[in-house]
Amino acid sequence: METVLELDKEDLGLGRDAEPDIVEDLKTELLLPVAERDRHLLVCPESSRGRPCKAELSGVRSSYMYVRKHRGPDGKVRLRAAHLPTAYEMTSEERDIHKATKDFLARTAQSAGLDVLVEKASKFRASRPDVTIVGAGGVSLGCEAQFYNASPSTVLRRSRAHAEAALTANWVTHDDRFHLIDRANWMLINKLPWRVIADADDLPLVGGYRVLVEWRCEESAERPCPYGGLKEKTGCGQMHLQWDTPQRASDEGTGWTSFMGSGKRVTVGQILVGAATGGVAPLFVRSRKDRRSGSHLWVPVKDRDKWAGYREVDPPTFEETTEPDDELHFSGRDADTTCQFGEKTWHPSAPLKRRGIDSVELTITVDNPRPSLVRASVPIQRTEEPPVLARRVAPSIPLPAPGICEIGAPKCGKVARLYPGGWRCEQHRPGALSA
């Protein structure tokens, strides 16, 4: 028996007599990947009535269909049907950037003496990362270079497969609007031509890594109270711990003025090698509203240990969650049962919101600055300074305190001012004629 499904109706056109549970189960089944259901389950209404299907006549699409979520120009998410096949084909530019990034990740790890595998399946073939970096005192990484917006289900499925293969998923991208952000550990880089990535010794890391800042919230504090209002100026008198960007944290005690900061940046290579050698760790900070979702961070190990003294640390489950902006909208309109393949019915989606920048869930307040020794749900690996493996060495995290001249090896060490090129003393400041 064939049934016409009306995707703009909440009951899918099944009528008032349809059981709500059956309708919800059907919606779930409709959104399954084609590989997990009968390919012939959905067919174009024209073809089902024995009429020619425009998609089939085109020679590039079939009469069989799939259902996806589509965000319209008004920002609302609706169910929409499209003809198979569904595979996304990368552009030539995306392929070049993808290859250059894979090569960069591999040579960065190799230069530190780490074992690297490129596009090799795990032992039980559960996962096949773009680049696998074998841990040496830290975690083993399953790195994915991602430069188009993969669906949330794809990100979660692949991240879960990496976890089952004892790998920490690490997605590298240049767009913080992509669904991968905060669905697994991630590293955000600048949008660069592939040739720049191919020739780079290292790349600035502009997202995905945080350091833990702890301060007494008083009127004299450099940071405002996260509760806002009057307390933002007077302080609430309590201790706050917050996961913050290293750029902002590096200005503490030296005239901190903004959320952007102006301190020395970290790089992809530093954090990548630090994670594999034990100086940097993955951390999942659960949302207070939905424990299946939260923030995925790369953090210094000692900061992770301090956080675990205050708050339970659990591994991520990589379960799909429905965010408020992803709730389905149904207009109630009757379905158009003609084949619309090739017609100009497509409208651009509303721009996606940036992800991974909200610090509200990344702040806790305590009365006592001494951590209560709460047992973490996952074992905390306490390590000393990461070992030196080769030419590239994972740095001590967080970065050295500002105010000291960084020129020379060993560093100069004199009292310094902050210049665009870093901390410099009077002798080594830009334009100075040093002996």
Side-chain angles (χ1 to χ4, degrees):
M1 176 180 176
E2 293 183 347
T3 303
V4 175
L5 299 179
E6 301 186 70
L7 301 181
D8 274 329
K9 295 184 178 180
E10 193 162 2
D11 63 1
L12 300 180
L14 300 180
R16 296 180 180 179
D17 296 334
E19 294 289 338
D21 290 345
I22 294 178
V23 174
E24 291 304 314
D25 289 345
L26 181 55
K27 290 177 184 176
T28 301
E29 186 175 2
L30 289 175
L31 291 169
L32 284 175
V34 178
E36 298 178 19
R37 65 163 174 82
D38 182 4
R39 178 182 174 89
H40 303 94
L41 177 66
L42 300 174
V43 66
C44 176
E46 292 274 24
S47 179
S48 69
R49 293 194 292 268
R51 300 175 184 174
C53 169
K54 295 178 185 177
E56 197 169 22
L57 293 174
S58 72
V60 296
R61 297 275 174 162
S62 72
S63 61
Y64 298 107
M65 308 189 78
Y66 72 103
V67 173
R68 60 189 175 89
K69 293 180 180 180
H70 173 73
R71 189 183 305 277
D74 58 0
K76 294 180 179 179
V77 178
R78 299 173 174 82
L79 294 178
R80 288 292 177 260
H83 291 80
L84 290 173
T86 64
Y88 178 87
E89 295 184 5
M90 287 193 293
T91 65
S92 59
E93 181 183 5
E94 287 171 342
R95 284 194 293 269
D96 290 339
I97 295 176
H98 182 261
K99 183 180 185 304
T101 304
K102 285 196 305 180
D103 293 342
F104 165 78
L105 295 172
R107 72 170 182 272
T108 298
Q110 288 170 338
S111 70
L114 298 169
D115 291 334
V116 173
L117 302 171
V118 178
E119 293 193 351
K120 296 293 184 181
S122 59
K123 182 178 180 180
F124 299 104
R125 300 189 178 278
S127 69
R128 184 180 178 179
D130 287 336
V131 178
T132 301
I133 300 175
V134 180
V139 296
S140 294
L141 303 170
C143 298
E144 300 283 0
Q146 191 69 26
F147 298 103
Y148 67 88
N149 197 9
S151 68
S153 59
T154 296
V155 173
L156 293 170
R157 173 175 52 80
R158 290 169 66 178
S159 299
R160 186 164 51 244
H162 294 344
E164 292 170 354
L167 300 174
T168 298
N170 180 45
W171 295 76
V172 181
T173 189
H174 59 199
D175 194 328
D176 60 4
R177 292 169 176 80
F178 283 177
H179 295 307
L180 64 90
I181 302 296
D182 272 342
R183 286 189 166 90
N185 277 89
W186 52 283
M187 290 182 176
L188 184 68
I189 63 175
N190 292 314
K191 191 169 185 177
L192 300 168
W194 72 268
R195 294 183 187 277
V196 174
I197 299 174
D199 295 337
D201 291 330
D202 210 340
L203 295 172
L205 181 66
V206 296
Y209 172 76
R210 300 260 180 156
V211 295
L212 188 62
V213 181
E214 181 179 12
W215 79 98
R216 173 71 69 180
C217 190
E218 299 173 339
E219 187 174 0
S220 60
E222 292 179 286
R223 287 172 176 256
C225 179
Y227 294 141
L230 181 62
K231 293 180 179 179
E232 188 170 347
K233 295 182 178 179
T234 63
C236 66
Q238 295 179 296
M239 293 294 298
H240 300 302
L241 285 85
Q242 184 178 59
W243 291 110
D244 212 339
T245 60
Q247 294 97 316
R248 179 182 173 190
S250 66
D251 276 345
E252 291 293 332
T254 61
W256 177 84
T257 57
S258 72
F259 284 81
M260 295 299 294
S262 59
K264 196 174 183 179
R265 291 190 176 188
V266 295
T267 66
V268 174
Q270 289 173 332
I271 307 308
L272 197 70
V273 177
T277 57
V280 176
L283 176 68
F284 177 58
V285 181
R286 289 191 183 279
S287 168
R288 298 183 183 113
K289 298 178 181 178
D290 185 350
R291 291 185 60 80
R292 295 175 299 173
S293 63
S295 298
H296 292 261
L297 313 171
W298 287 112
V299 302
V301 166
K302 65 182 185 62
D303 286 358
R304 190 272 310 268
D305 292 354
K306 178 184 287 188
W307 180 267
Y310 288 110
R311 190 170 175 182
E312 188 178 38
V313 177
D314 294 324
T317 57
F318 300 117
E319 294 181 19
E320 183 140 18
T321 60
T322 300
E323 299 179 3
D325 290 342
D326 290 340
E327 293 181 0
L328 287 173
H329 175 77
F330 299 93
S331 65
R333 291 178 299 186
D334 292 334
D336 183 351
T337 58
T338 61
C339 181
Q340 299 180 19
F341 181 82
E343 298 179 12
K344 293 183 179 181
T345 58
W346 180 85
H347 298 282
S349 300
L352 294 174
K353 294 181 179 180
R354 297 178 64 194
R355 299 170 54 84
I357 59 174
D358 190 2
S359 296
V360 174
E361 296 284 355
L362 304 182
T363 304
I364 57 175
T365 300
V366 295
D367 293 323
N368 193 325
R370 293 177 60 84
S372 58
L373 300 179
V374 179
R375 176 185 287 273
S377 299
V378 294
I380 302 299
Q381 179 183 3
R382 302 182 185 275
T383 61
E384 301 299 328
E385 289 295 319
V388 178
L389 298 180
R391 294 189 302 276
R392 187 185 300 277
V393 181
S396 298
I397 304 293
L399 297 171
I404 301 299
C405 182
E406 301 172 313
I407 296 297
K411 291 180 171 57
C412 170
K414 294 180 181 179
V415 176
R417 292 178 53 195
L418 181 61
Y419 292 91
W423 293 94
R424 304 287 185 266
C425 67
E426 187 66 23
Q427 179 183 357
H428 295 110
R429 63 180 174 81
L433 298 176
S434 57

